Amino acid sequence: MESSSAASGGSTRREATRQKLYEAAVTLIAEQGFSATTVDEIAERAGVAKGTVYYNFASKSVLFEELLRHGVGLLTASLREAAEPTAREGGTKVDALDAMIRAGLVFIDRYPAFTQLYVAELWRTNRAWQSTLMVVRQQAVAVVEDVLRAGVAGGEFSDEIDVPLTAAALVGMVLVAALDWKSFQPERSLDDVHAALSRLLQGRVSGCR
């Protein structure tokens, strides 16, 4: 039986390998599509043997499904971590939403290929991982819903707000605006894009008293 330190070291190495495979897969699939990307190419791009891919994932589809879980999990965590300090610092729920918008832009700026894949997959309904995608999407949207519900309960927002739809709209706004920024307006800074979305938030959400 492995010692705890040896087991920990093995786990760390495996996570590092999986991270390399995620990065290789997301880059290749963004470049040439899921069907055209082979396991051999993923292994080569990651700098590992083909068998290493199958040791970590049963198939290319499983790898992609886990990639979606991993990426959206990172996004969800970044949104939650952005919102939490505002409550401790006495900020409003609009401040929390604004912090989440910035966190979303930072995430997309760091992982543009993953974001492109994620948005594309949302529109495809014939994939084996569609149910997984819907679950992880809801996890991200639920973080925004929590802030909106707290704002309604505290009287900061109108109780006429459709919380699920508004939360989905805010997440969608960030995703679409950021992809437009990266594709068509790359000369803009992150601060510039955030300022524009922040003004939109202030006018549309905080004005709904």
Side-chain angles (χ1 to χ4, degrees):
M1 182 177 292
E2 294 178 318
S3 67
S4 59
S5 59
S8 176
S11 176
T12 300
R13 285 193 298 273
R14 187 175 187 189
E15 284 306 310
T17 299
R18 290 168 72 93
Q19 185 63 42
K20 287 196 296 184
L21 291 171
Y22 287 145
E23 291 171 1
V26 74
T27 302
L28 286 165
I29 295 170
E31 289 174 354
Q32 57 195 33
F34 177 81
S35 297
T37 300
T38 67
V39 172
D40 289 292
E41 289 173 321
I42 294 172
E44 182 179 0
R45 181 68 66 94
V48 301
K50 181 178 179 178
T52 301
V53 180
Y54 289 115
Y55 175 76
N56 285 274
F57 304 100
S59 66
K60 185 177 71 171
S61 292
V62 171
L63 167 57
F64 191 64
E65 185 171 344
E66 289 304 310
L67 169 63
L68 290 172
R69 287 183 185 275
H70 176 73
V72 180
L74 290 177
L75 173 60
T76 301
S78 67
L79 295 178
R80 185 178 293 110
E81 290 166 6
E84 288 174 349
T86 60
R88 294 195 300 269
E89 296 164 6
T92 66
K93 296 307 176 187
V94 172
D95 292 332
L97 292 172
D98 189 53
M100 295 166 88
I101 286 175
R102 184 173 185 85
L105 292 173
V106 169
F107 176 88
I108 294 165
D109 188 42
R110 184 175 181 183
Y111 305 108
F114 173 79
T115 306
Q116 181 183 349
L117 279 180
Y118 170 68
V119 172
E121 290 302 315
L122 285 174
W123 292 97
R124 297 190 174 104
T125 59
N126 61 341
R127 300 293 207 189
W129 50 79
Q130 187 66 23
S131 60
T132 295
L133 184 60
M134 292 300 99
V135 169
V136 295
R137 170 206 168 271
Q138 184 53 39
Q139 290 171 353
V141 173
V143 178
V144 184
E145 290 181 1
D146 289 344
V147 174
L148 288 170
R149 288 195 178 92
V152 171
E156 188 176 341
F157 304 146
S158 168
D159 58 10
E160 295 180 358
I161 285 181
D162 185 322
V163 170
L165 187 57
T166 301
L170 287 171
V171 173
M173 174 184 74
V174 174
L175 289 172
V176 174
L179 288 176
D180 185 88
W181 162 40
K182 287 296 184 181
S183 300
F184 304 112
Q185 305 180 65
E187 72 282 0
R188 287 180 176 269
S189 68
L190 190 150
D191 287 340
D192 188 23
V193 177
H194 174 225
L197 297 186
S198 182
R199 285 191 290 272
L200 184 60
L201 170 71
Q202 296 287 340
R204 296 301 184 189
V205 177
S206 63
C208 295
R209 288 178 178 270

